[in-house]
């Protein structure tokens, strides 16, 4: 009985220690969460194939799975520590202390937490957790009232002990809950929200004209030409969205440059006068998938800042590094060959949403996100492909990630039923930074028929298309393919997303009544 209760006390004390640490971090300088830092450290130490497997299996729920496992693991350890220290009191402070040292180390290694904040916050958690556990164990040990031994050696537990144990456990668990809620509230209210809503985007010196009317087709269910920020897909390894304090944020230009320097966020805001329409695409997008979106980005040409830094001869890779240590790397040419390649601070007329990289991110046209579009950008390092592998490369993905020509049927939906007669078959098509020159449809494996293209918003964005299909009754198969700017049609070969992007034709089945 005492052992089970000691275990419960251990779980409660561990939770209280964590809650104390997180709440202290919320009020101390820095914007990070220790829980997140430990999660990131765990992801960092996990072999690549396992990370890829987890992302494949759990999708965006993979963070929740990791978080829950961490919670279960730490509570379990807390329970064991508590049980062991019923007899040997020194085990609790030593056990919690070791936890604290590991946590402080993970926090100090994390870019969003200062070392002093990590040490203070974990120390606070250890003291509170150990004290709470000691108190409950004292109650369990009988406190002042000693139980009466019976003839056969068992002990009758005084009613008072049970009540005091229950009282303390509930009170401590309640405090942990209140602390967690407070910490959460403070962290959410911190940096991002406040700073983001007070961020003033300068009006671009040369604003782009509104998208031409002819670039948007009037078809129900087609992807809008520009994706609203709320609907924009999100892909990253971040355990929770990094909160960056924009008032102190800087981006460092390092590595193979003549004049390393840092640019502050305020300076970036002043410089940000370039608008670019760019479609972002994830290399993990399946044929017909929705990990793709288009936005009007506001930012600073990367080339301008690189010229200030002076790129050294021999550097062939630009690596973007985020506040949480993620990296993406792409060829130096991409910054200088004239394609949109910017450090973006605005997305569709707003400061970057936190989930899309506030306060600043890279947007490089023509390349998949995993090599180029670093969010929560903190550093641009000039290096070589020989010297450095960015995050996904050792995990089995290609070092180079040009976007492959692709097309998607948005309407009708796969397996839809439609009425015989003229049916609007429509969708979007995209390629690398040079755009799309044609889209064709094949019905029931018949010859390729040209679709009508909407006007091009930019060569660096997807393009809408429509095919007016004279549908006859029966079941039909529709297939789409795009042709790039150089006249190369999209390949029919089917390949999976890994290592450098899925290929094949998006194909749907439709029944016509
Ligand atoms: N810091 C950071 N930036 C990142 C990533 C990441 O994991 N961490 N993922 C990249 C990938 S794989 C893609 S597809 C794009 C997605 O950008 P979005 O979430 O704004 O759509 O961000 C890129 N930038
Ligand atoms: Mo991606």
């Amino acid at each position: 009985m005492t052992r089970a209760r000691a275990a419960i006390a251990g779980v409660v004390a561990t939770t209280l220690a964590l809650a104390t640490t997180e709440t202290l971090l919320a009020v101390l300088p820095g914007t990070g969460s220790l829980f997140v830092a430990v999660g990131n450290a765990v992801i960092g130490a996990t072999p690549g194939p396992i990370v890829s497997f987890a992302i494949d299996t759990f999708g965006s729920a993979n963070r929740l799975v990791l978080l829950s496992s961490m919670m279960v693991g730490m509570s379990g350890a807390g329970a064991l520590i508590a049980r062991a220290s019923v007899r040997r009191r020194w085990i609790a402070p030593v056990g919690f202390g070791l936890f604290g040292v590991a946590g402080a180390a993970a926090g100090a290694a994390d870019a969003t937490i200062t070392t002093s904040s990590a040490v203070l916050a974990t120390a606070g958690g250890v003291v509170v957790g150990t004290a709470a556990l000691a108190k409950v164990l004292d109650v369990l040990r009988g406190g002042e009232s000693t139980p009466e031994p019976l003839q056969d050696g068992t002990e009758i537990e005084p009613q008072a002990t049970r009540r005091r144990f229950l009282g303390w456990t509930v009170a401590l668990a309640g405090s942990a809950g209140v602390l967690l809620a407070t910490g959460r509230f403070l962290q959410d209210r911190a940096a991002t929200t406040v700073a983001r809503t007070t961020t003033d985007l300068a009006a671009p010196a040369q604003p782009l004209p509104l998208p031409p009317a002819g670039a948007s087709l009037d078809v129900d269910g087609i992807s809008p030409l520009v994706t609203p920020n709320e609907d924009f897909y999100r892909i990253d390894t971040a355990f929770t969205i990094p909160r960056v304090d924009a008032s102190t944020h800087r981006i460092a230009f390092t590595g193979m440059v003549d004049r390393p320097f840092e640019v502050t966020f305020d300076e970036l805001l002043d410089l940000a006068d370039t608008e670019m329409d760019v479609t972002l695409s994830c290399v993990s997008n399946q044929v017909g998938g929705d990990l793709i979106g288009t936005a009007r980005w506001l930012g600073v040409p990367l080339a301008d800042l690189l010229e200030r830094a002076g790129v050294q001869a021999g550097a062939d890779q630009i690596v973007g590094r985020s506040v949480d240590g993620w990296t993406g790397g792409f060829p130096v040419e991409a910054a200088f060959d004239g394609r949109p390649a910017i450090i973006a601070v605005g997305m569709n007329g707003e400061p970057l949403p936190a989930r899309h990289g506030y306060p600043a991110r890279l947007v490089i046209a023509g390349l998949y996100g995993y090599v180029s579009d670093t969010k929560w950008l903190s550093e641009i390092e000039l290096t070589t492909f020989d010297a450095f592998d960015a995050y996904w490369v050792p995990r089995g993905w290609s070092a180079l990630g040009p976007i492959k020509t692709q097309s998607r049927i948005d309407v009708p939906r796969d397996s839809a039923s439609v009425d015989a007669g003229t049916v609007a078959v429509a969708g979007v098509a995209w390629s690398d930074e040079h755009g799309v020159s044609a889209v064709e449809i094949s019905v029931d494996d018949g010859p390729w028929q040209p679709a009508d293209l909407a006007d091009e918003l930019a060569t660096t964005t997807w393009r809408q298309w429509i095919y007016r299909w004279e549908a006859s009754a029966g079941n039909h198969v529709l297939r789409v393919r795009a042709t790039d700017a150089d006249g190369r049609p999209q390949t029919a070969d089917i390949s999976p997303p890994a290592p450098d992007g899925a290929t094949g034709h998006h194909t749907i089945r439709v029944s016509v009544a």
Side-chain angles (χ1 to χ4, degrees):
M1 201 45 155
T2 306
R3 291 175 139 228
R5 289 197 186 154
I8 293 174
V11 171
V12 170
T14 309
T15 312
L16 185 62
L18 283 173
T20 306
T21 304
E22 290 295 296
T23 308
L24 283 174
L25 275 179
V27 296
L28 287 167
T31 52
S33 145
L34 192 73
F35 211 59
V36 172
V38 172
N40 284 334
V42 170
I43 295 179
T46 307
I50 298 182
V51 176
S52 300
F53 168 81
I55 290 177
D56 269 3
T57 315
F58 304 118
S60 33
N62 75 79
R63 292 181 199 93
L64 202 66
V65 172
L66 176 60
L67 188 123
S68 316
S69 325
M70 276 168 55
M71 231 16 239
V72 170
M74 291 201 232
S75 305
L80 291 178
I81 290 174
R83 280 179 50 165
S85 50
V86 171
R87 291 271 138 72
R88 287 173 288 263
R89 289 169 191 259
W90 58 267
I91 290 186
V94 170
F96 274 70
L98 287 177
F99 257 126
V101 171
D110 191 282
T112 58
I113 305 178
T114 65
T115 306
S116 52
S117 296
V119 171
L120 276 174
T122 45
V126 168
V127 169
V128 171
T130 318
L133 183 58
K135 181 66 214 169
V136 182
L137 291 184
D138 269 351
V139 170
L140 283 180
R141 287 191 196 98
E144 300 90 334
S145 57
T146 319
E148 307 273 294
L150 289 187
Q151 305 295 56
D152 61 2
T154 56
E155 292 174 349
I156 298 181
E157 175 186 47
Q159 194 70 29
T161 303
R162 193 189 310 158
R163 235 181 295 125
R164 292 185 66 207
F165 168 75
L166 215 68
W168 273 101
T169 318
V170 170
L172 292 174
S175 320
V178 170
L179 272 177
L180 277 178
T182 315
R184 245 248 108 84
F185 172 76
L186 290 176
Q187 289 185 337
D188 280 354
R189 216 197 41 179
T192 303
T193 340
V194 175
R196 187 174 171 264
T197 46
T198 55
T199 297
D200 267 330
L201 295 181
Q206 278 127 9
L208 288 177
L210 284 178
S216 287
L217 297 172
D218 184 16
V219 179
D220 263 357
I222 196 170
S223 309
L225 180 64
V226 176
T227 315
N229 289 356
E230 310 77 67
D231 300 339
F232 210 95
Y233 80 99
R234 171 192 168 201
I235 289 288
D236 52 65
T237 60
F239 190 56
T240 61
I241 298 169
R243 284 177 293 264
V244 179
D245 182 351
S247 66
T248 57
H249 189 63
R250 292 156 177 273
I251 297 168
F253 286 75
T254 65
M256 298 171 70
V257 293
D258 293 329
R259 299 170 292 277
F261 75 102
E262 292 185 346
V263 57
T264 65
F265 178 61
D266 283 343
E267 201 180 337
L268 273 183
L269 280 182
D270 286 344
L271 294 172
D273 64 355
T274 304
E275 277 189 317
M276 302 273 180
D277 292 321
V278 179
T279 292
L280 297 198
S281 171
C282 184
V283 69
S284 297
N285 200 22
Q286 303 280 357
V287 173
D290 57 6
L291 299 181
I292 179 165
T294 300
R296 177 162 285 187
W297 307 92
L298 172 70
V300 187
L302 186 55
D304 293 356
L305 296 167
L306 288 176
E307 265 149 29
R308 216 198 275 184
V311 176
Q312 292 177 353
D316 64 8
Q317 181 176 216
I318 298 175
V319 171
R321 185 168 281 113
S322 65
V323 296
D324 61 346
W326 188 87
T327 50
F330 55 92
V332 169
E333 297 93 80
F336 294 103
D337 64 9
R339 75 178 78 198
I342 59 174
I343 296 184
V345 295
M347 179 177 185
N348 292 330
E350 290 176 20
L352 282 180
R355 46 195 261 120
H356 296 295
Y358 180 84
R361 75 175 302 169
L362 284 170
V363 171
I364 314 290
L367 304 178
Y368 286 122
Y370 82 106
V371 289
S372 67
D373 299 321
T374 306
K375 304 190 274 189
W376 314 293
L377 182 68
S378 62
E379 184 183 348
I380 300 278
E381 183 187 357
L382 273 290
T383 178
T384 64
F385 279 97
D386 277 348
F388 185 78
D389 281 338
Y391 185 87
W392 282 111
V393 176
R395 293 166 168 84
W397 296 78
S398 166
L400 298 179
I403 294 177
K404 292 179 176 173
T405 306
Q406 265 295 350
S407 46
R408 184 176 77 195
I409 302 173
D410 290 336
V411 282
R413 300 268 165 221
D414 190 18
S415 314
S417 308
V418 298
D419 292 335
T422 307
V423 173
V425 179
V428 284
W430 61 94
S431 183
D432 56 14
E433 70 277 20
H434 303 299
V436 159
S437 61
V439 171
E440 296 158 294
I441 295 292
S442 151
V443 180
D444 299 328
D445 289 324
W448 289 106
Q449 308 282 344
D452 292 325
L453 290 176
D455 290 343
E456 192 169 58
L457 174 60
T459 64
T460 50
T461 63
W462 60 17
R463 193 163 178 181
Q464 294 186 347
W465 56 266
I466 181 169
Y467 175 75
R468 289 179 185 79
W469 175 38
E470 293 310 322
S472 56
N475 292 325
H476 298 284
V477 174
L478 299 176
R479 200 180 282 278
V480 64
R481 76 170 182 189
T483 297
D484 73 10
D486 293 330
R488 283 180 300 242
Q490 186 186 325
T491 176
D493 294 344
I494 295 175
S495 56
D500 61 0
T503 62
H505 297 149
H506 187 212
T507 305
I508 66 165
R509 276 153 197 82
V510 186
S511 63
V512 181

